[in-house]
Amino acid sequence: MEENHKEDGNGEVMADIPLEDLSLTKNENDAKRRSTESSVSSKDAEIAVTSGKQTYQPISNFETMAHLLKGNIGTGIFAMPSAFRNSGLWVGSVLLPVMAIICTHCMQMLVKSAAIMKKREGDFSISYADVAETACRTGPPQFAKYGRAFSITINVFICITQFGFCCVYLVFTSTNLQQVVEYYTELGWDVRIYMCFLTIPLIFLNWIRNLKLLAPVSLIANVLQMSSIVVVFYYIFRDPLPPVNSVPAFGSWGGLPLFFGTTVFTFEGIALVLPLQKDMRRPWDFKGWTGILNTGMVIVTCIYIAMGFYGYLAYGEDILGSITLNLPQDEVLAQVVKILLVIAICGNYAMQFYVPIPIIWPTLSKYAARYTSNDLAAERAFRTFMVLVTLLLAAAIPKIDLFISLVGAFGSSFLALIFPPLLEYVTQAPNVSKITITKEVLILVFGVIGFGTGTYAAILAIVQEFSGSD
């Protein structure tokens, strides 16, 4: 049987989806395809992997680094100046590296746990959820019964964050498109109207089930997005920056949870690490103090700090939810960047949307089969329905910065901060040192507090935003 292994433009390793075996019937092929897709789970641009031997060329350390950078630098970078407004210039400059260290260490926890599972089980499906289930099943007997629940919970939060990313993308694209169109036409349309127009092509784009067709879309999207980041930095540094004391060093206590949500949203690339390491020619170079993971996350953190620090310093309290909205509207280059970002984010929307479908649809397809024998039509109807759900959620909260904080605090905090220490404990139990347990408890408490306060602050800010209260 021939297999297609594809890699999307975010550097995310996608599933090996087998081509139909001509010796099987159509129904058998459909069942086989659904079985294969049901094993897929992923990340933030976004991961799908399957078990089995590699049938592709392993990637070099340089390629791994490129994929890691592309997978962790996304739309959230444009919201970093707004996050610094919530925390304050210098407080944000200190807290952002701290958050990066914690999130990166949690990624190392997952990598270490997966290595232990590899020794116990040999060849198995390298994914976040499967590592968690295997750790419970092969660990102390008291954890065995929780393995399936742990795996399902992780997949649920993967789906929540992925659809949350899609909602953020829809808000981002519609807001930027509105600013460009309104500047030249003065139509006076609400941003929700632009969301509805953008949803039409997104519906058809998300009917694509072949990763081979989606990969070029994602590649183009990433090129456009990276180019736009360069242009944004150009506008930040084009004019002399004001003195650092022109903006507050500390924002407000109420703004810190919002800063937490935005930061976790940007660093929630934990599900990317296992597929990347799995595909490496030299996987042992991925971990360690000077490994690719730590080195790559240092680069990502520096880029985020630069965007947040200098972006907030340049525009001050006038900074909007996305710094792209602060670019001069009377300059063609700035307007072109916004249009290119709209195109790019639509492509990224399709890649993010792809991830939860193989997790959800195999189960729902069993119920759909009772009402129709056309599996393709049923799946397209489901995909259309989920795109419309993201439209409704985005239309309910058409504020980029607040939506990012909500998704980050509610969904990403579990995947990035809460689950990894639990997984590490289950993997190493009962031989866990007191120092390790203390570290795990501190990270867990930090994640839970961030989840609670960040979600509450985001919801409160959303209510205040649309009720007109202070």
Side-chain angles (χ1 to χ4, degrees):
M1 177 178 63
E2 182 183 358
E3 293 185 350
N4 286 337
H5 180 88
K6 291 298 172 185
E7 188 179 278
D8 83 315
N10 286 325
E12 300 151 289
V13 182
M14 308 307 290
D16 292 345
I17 304 297
L19 300 175
E20 276 87 350
D21 190 333
L22 297 179
S23 63
L24 301 178
T25 65
K26 180 180 182 299
N27 291 336
E28 288 173 328
N29 272 313
D30 289 341
K32 191 173 184 180
R33 175 181 56 77
R34 288 194 296 268
S35 175
T36 301
E37 289 180 344
S38 66
S39 68
V40 181
S41 64
S42 162
K43 170 189 177 267
D44 139 182
E46 308 174 0
I47 316 305
V49 294
T50 59
S51 59
K53 297 181 179 179
Q54 293 181 349
T55 59
Y56 49 89
Q57 187 68 27
I59 59 178
S60 66
N61 287 3
F62 178 79
E63 291 172 314
T64 304
M65 178 66 76
H67 295 327
L68 183 65
L69 295 178
K70 288 188 292 183
N72 281 277
I73 299 177
T75 312
I77 190 173
F78 301 112
M80 288 312 302
S82 175
F84 270 62
R85 179 188 60 191
N86 291 322
S87 64
L89 187 67
W90 292 110
V91 172
S93 301
V94 173
L95 291 183
L96 186 58
V98 172
M99 287 290 298
I101 291 172
I102 296 175
C103 291
T104 303
H105 182 67
C106 287
M107 294 179 186
Q108 293 283 10
M109 285 183 181
L110 179 59
V111 171
K112 185 176 181 180
S113 298
I116 295 175
M117 292 304 102
K118 185 75 172 178
K119 292 180 180 179
R120 290 182 187 175
E121 290 288 293
D123 190 19
F124 76 108
S125 181
I126 306 294
S127 70
Y128 198 160
D130 289 323
V131 170
E133 183 174 1
T134 305
C136 292
R137 181 167 48 81
T138 61
Q142 64 267 29
F143 297 131
K145 59 183 179 181
Y146 300 111
R148 184 59 180 163
F150 199 1
S151 174
I152 293 175
T153 303
I154 289 176
N155 278 333
V156 166
F157 276 96
I158 286 176
C159 293
I160 290 174
T161 54
Q162 294 304 128
F163 285 126
F165 294 155
C166 291
C167 295
V168 169
Y169 290 171
L170 191 53
V171 175
F172 183 93
T173 53
S174 58
T175 305
N176 280 270
L177 182 61
Q178 179 196 37
Q179 191 181 70
V180 175
V181 174
E182 293 297 322
Y183 178 77
Y184 291 107
T185 65
E186 299 182 356
L187 292 175
W189 287 355
D190 186 86
V191 67
R192 296 172 179 85
I193 298 178
Y194 291 92
M195 290 182 187
C196 294
F197 279 111
L198 286 172
T199 300
I200 297 174
L202 286 177
I203 289 176
F204 295 104
L205 181 63
N206 286 283
W207 280 4
I208 299 176
R209 303 190 301 170
N210 191 333
L211 291 172
K212 183 177 181 180
L213 298 177
L214 281 179
V217 174
S218 183
L219 177 61
I220 295 173
N222 278 280
V223 171
L224 295 177
Q225 183 167 297
M226 293 300 174
S227 302
S228 300
I229 292 174
V230 173
V231 174
V232 170
F233 273 116
Y234 160 74
Y235 277 107
I236 290 176
F237 295 109
R238 184 179 64 171
D239 300 321
L241 293 173
V244 293
N245 59 5
S246 63
V247 292
F250 174 71
S252 65
W253 289 106
L256 291 181
L258 297 176
F259 175 85
F260 170 88
T262 303
T263 304
V264 176
F265 178 93
T266 58
F267 284 120
E268 201 282 288
I270 189 169
L272 174 66
V273 298
L274 293 183
L276 278 181
Q277 186 188 32
K278 170 179 174 286
D279 289 346
M280 290 180 64
R281 187 178 299 119
R282 296 167 55 88
W284 52 86
D285 290 339
F286 191 73
K287 53 187 180 180
W289 284 99
T290 58
I292 291 176
L293 177 57
N294 283 356
T295 304
M297 294 308 296
V298 167
I299 297 174
V300 169
T301 303
C302 291
I303 295 175
Y304 277 129
I305 291 176
M307 180 66 78
F309 185 94
Y310 293 110
Y312 178 43
L313 185 60
Y315 294 103
E317 295 303 311
D318 294 329
I319 192 69
L320 298 175
S322 170
I323 192 173
T324 56
L325 300 176
N326 288 96
L327 300 183
Q329 299 188 51
D330 57 347
E331 296 189 19
V332 175
L333 177 61
Q335 300 291 56
V336 169
V337 164
K338 296 172 191 176
I339 296 299
L340 293 180
L341 273 176
V342 170
I343 299 172
I345 302 306
C346 285
N348 287 337
Y349 181 107
M351 296 308 303
Q352 299 287 353
F353 190 89
Y354 173 86
V355 173
I357 298 300
I359 299 175
I360 302 174
W361 178 243
T363 301
L364 294 181
S365 63
K366 299 176 184 178
Y367 298 96
R370 301 176 183 176
Y371 304 97
T372 178
S373 59
N374 192 331
D375 183 71
L376 177 60
E379 183 175 344
R380 285 181 172 174
F382 172 69
R383 288 170 176 263
T384 301
F385 172 76
M386 293 310 302
V387 173
L388 294 177
V389 169
T390 63
L391 168 63
L392 292 177
L393 293 174
I397 314 174
K399 299 288 292 184
I400 301 174
D401 51 344
L402 299 182
F403 215 132
I404 287 178
S405 295
L406 179 61
V407 173
F410 182 79
S412 301
S413 58
F414 276 89
L415 296 175
L417 298 172
I418 297 176
F419 292 147
L422 293 175
L423 177 58
E424 183 183 64
Y425 178 80
V426 172
T427 300
Q428 299 182 10
N431 302 317
V432 188
S433 66
K434 292 183 179 179
I435 296 178
T436 301
I437 292 178
T438 303
K439 175 202 69 176
E440 291 167 348
V441 170
L442 289 176
I443 294 177
L444 183 62
V445 171
F446 176 71
V448 171
I449 292 176
F451 157 74
T453 59
T455 302
Y456 172 79
I459 294 176
L460 181 62
I462 290 170
V463 172
Q464 292 175 344
E465 177 71 25
F466 294 102
S467 65
S469 60
D470 294 331

